Amino acid sequence: MDFDVKFGSCPIYYTISKIEGKWKWVILYKLHKSKVIRYNRLWDELKPIAHRTLSRQLKELEADGLVHREQYNEIPPRVEYSLTPVGETLAPILELMSEWGAEQLNNCNSNSVDKLS
């Protein structure tokens, strides 16, 4: 049976298909925290991400209606990114992921210290 046929109507599969990859969640979190951020600043904060990867991920998130791209016709050109209202609906999930990760890092660090003692 084809995976899409079997899981195409699954909400979890749908969510993962829109926000898959190692960078999209981090990009969304940075946009959530910054509210509005310029491309170069976002790239600086996400290094070692490649320009091509960041650009592609932002285009996909924009196509999925999660990210808004604002281009200003100035010299030099200025491009800013922010979450759309739909993207903002992910804020509670992003915050929970951050909290969960912080707790797990603390647990890992505590376990490492215990093992060294």
Side-chain angles (χ1 to χ4, degrees):
M1 176 178 269
D2 183 57
F3 188 84
D4 285 334
V5 171
K6 184 171 183 179
F7 296 104
S9 61
C10 172
I12 295 292
Y13 172 70
Y14 176 81
T15 303
I16 290 170
S17 73
K18 295 299 175 191
I19 314 169
E20 65 184 330
K22 78 177 194 182
W23 290 107
K24 285 186 181 177
W25 284 106
V26 179
I27 292 167
L28 290 168
Y29 187 72
K30 289 287 186 185
L31 292 174
H32 165 63
K33 286 301 195 185
S34 300
K35 302 300 179 207
V36 176
I37 192 167
R38 292 175 77 167
Y39 179 88
N40 284 335
R41 174 132 186 236
L42 182 60
W43 182 65
D44 283 341
E45 291 187 16
L46 294 176
K47 285 180 181 173
I49 192 173
H51 273 294
R52 181 178 178 208
T53 302
L54 178 57
S55 179
R56 185 176 56 241
Q57 299 287 285
L58 285 166
K59 285 178 184 172
E60 289 174 7
L61 289 167
E62 185 181 8
D64 288 331
L66 301 172
V67 169
H68 172 71
R69 180 180 189 271
E70 186 72 38
Q71 182 172 338
Y72 299 90
N73 294 325
E74 302 171 345
I75 307 286
R78 178 171 52 124
V79 177
E80 294 179 339
Y81 290 91
S82 60
L83 293 179
T84 64
V86 174
E88 282 291 345
T89 64
L90 294 169
I93 297 168
L94 294 166
E95 290 294 337
L96 285 170
M97 289 174 67
S98 178
E99 291 170 19
W100 184 87
E103 288 173 12
Q104 299 310 307
L105 285 171
N106 283 338
N107 290 341
C108 289
N109 291 338
S110 296
N111 289 338
S112 296
V113 171
D114 290 344
K115 289 178 185 177
L116 295 175
S117 300

